Amino acid sequence: MQLYDKTFESRLLLGTALYPSPAIMAEAARASRAEILTVSLRRESAAQRTGQDFWALIRETGATVLPNTAGCHSVKEAVTTAQMAREVFNTSWIKLEVIGEADTLQPDVFGLVEAARILSEDGFAVFPYTTDDLVVAERLVEAGCRVLMPWGAPIGSGRGLNNPYALRTMRAHFPDVPLIVDAGIGLPSHAAAAMELGYDAVLLNTAVAKAGDPVRMAQAFAKAIEAGRAAYEADPMEMRDMAAPSTPVLGKAFLA
């Protein structure tokens, strides 16, 4: 899987928030075999260097860091946060979030496109958290995004894929653009379903972080994503409205 200028074996992207402890987060990240970890920018105390132990754990995993603009509700806020993240994490990669609705955390797609254009022109590799709307997706590609990250369901809801039809349509519409389902995944079966649709990867956080055993759940997601991708590449059978016998009727004995 190639995303911008980097190639990865794993198709699982994992968030680093909400875990019982940083140590469990690091252990779950290793168990998931994820090669990309998303992190949100937090202000640190210049004197106390708060958060340094956390970043040390992130670095020890060897994963690529994908900073995000979580919690940003305006273009200015998202762009400023991205610029700060580039300085803190020394990377031009950014997961772009511009939230437009507080209850569902649905993206503000108008602000998202504007922020994506500004950041792309500033040299960022933008990973936009968006809806499954094709027109919005087209505008994001025109703005310079070479990866799209449509939601499966609202962030942290665990509902899975609310609109498989829209996701399948997006996959068909953008055959050459890497697509990553981001948000709403609650179970390994949800992740497998996304991969069976032909998506390139899945990004999740809460489903692992809030599990009773985050490490074991991370392992389960790693296996589910591998299985879903293998199923897609194996060219699955098409669904039918009627039964189809697996035993040939031709040659069957006729009993009077």
Side-chain angles (χ1 to χ4, degrees):
M1 176 178 67
Q2 183 164 343
L3 302 175
Y4 286 97
D5 58 344
K6 296 184 180 181
T7 303
F8 302 91
E9 294 293 328
S10 173
R11 294 177 181 273
L12 171 60
L13 289 71
L14 193 64
T16 56
L18 305 175
Y19 289 84
S21 71
I24 292 177
M25 178 277 297
E27 189 177 355
R30 286 189 289 268
S32 73
R33 303 194 299 276
E35 296 175 83
I36 301 175
L37 300 179
T38 64
V39 294
S40 58
L41 182 65
R42 292 289 181 267
R43 292 179 176 82
E44 299 184 5
S45 167
Q48 298 177 357
R49 303 297 293 170
T50 305
Q52 289 303 301
D53 291 343
F54 176 80
W55 303 133
L57 286 172
I58 294 290
R59 287 192 294 269
E60 287 173 5
T61 66
T64 295
V65 173
L66 176 60
N68 68 38
T69 61
C72 293
H73 292 258
S74 69
V75 172
K76 181 178 181 181
E77 189 179 11
V79 169
T80 301
T81 300
Q83 292 168 339
M84 292 171 62
R86 180 166 58 183
E87 297 298 321
V88 171
F89 299 107
N90 192 31
T91 178
S92 62
W93 279 29
I94 193 72
K95 178 191 170 186
L96 180 61
E97 296 183 24
V98 182
I99 302 302
E101 207 282 321
D103 290 331
T104 63
L105 300 181
Q106 180 169 326
D108 171 2
V109 295
F110 305 101
L112 182 68
V113 171
E114 183 180 350
R117 180 172 288 107
I118 293 170
L119 292 173
S120 295
E121 291 174 353
D122 192 25
F124 281 88
V126 181
F127 292 69
Y129 162 61
T130 183
T131 63
D132 49 27
D133 186 283
L134 291 182
V135 177
V136 175
E138 287 279 11
R139 297 295 182 270
L140 288 169
V141 171
E142 292 170 2
C145 298
R146 289 161 51 191
V147 176
L148 297 172
M149 303 178 69
W151 66 348
I155 293 173
S157 67
R159 296 181 58 87
L161 308 183
N162 270 355
N163 195 341
Y165 171 80
L167 293 173
R168 187 180 295 109
T169 301
M170 182 173 283
R171 176 70 286 177
H173 193 74
F174 296 99
D176 301 320
V177 176
L179 300 180
I180 301 171
V181 170
D182 177 18
I185 299 296
L187 294 170
S189 57
H190 298 158
M195 300 305 294
E196 289 168 1
L197 291 176
Y199 275 69
D200 296 275
V202 170
L203 193 161
L204 56 94
N205 187 169
T206 309
V208 170
K210 289 297 187 179
D213 186 339
V215 175
R216 192 169 186 185
M217 185 61 79
Q219 294 171 336
F221 270 105
K223 294 175 182 177
I225 286 173
E226 287 184 2
R229 180 66 183 184
Y232 171 73
E233 292 176 342
D235 191 15
M237 64 174 285
E238 295 184 3
M239 289 189 293
R240 296 170 54 97
D241 292 329
M242 301 294 290
S246 57
T247 302
V249 177
L250 186 65
K252 180 181 178 181
F254 177 75
L255 301 177

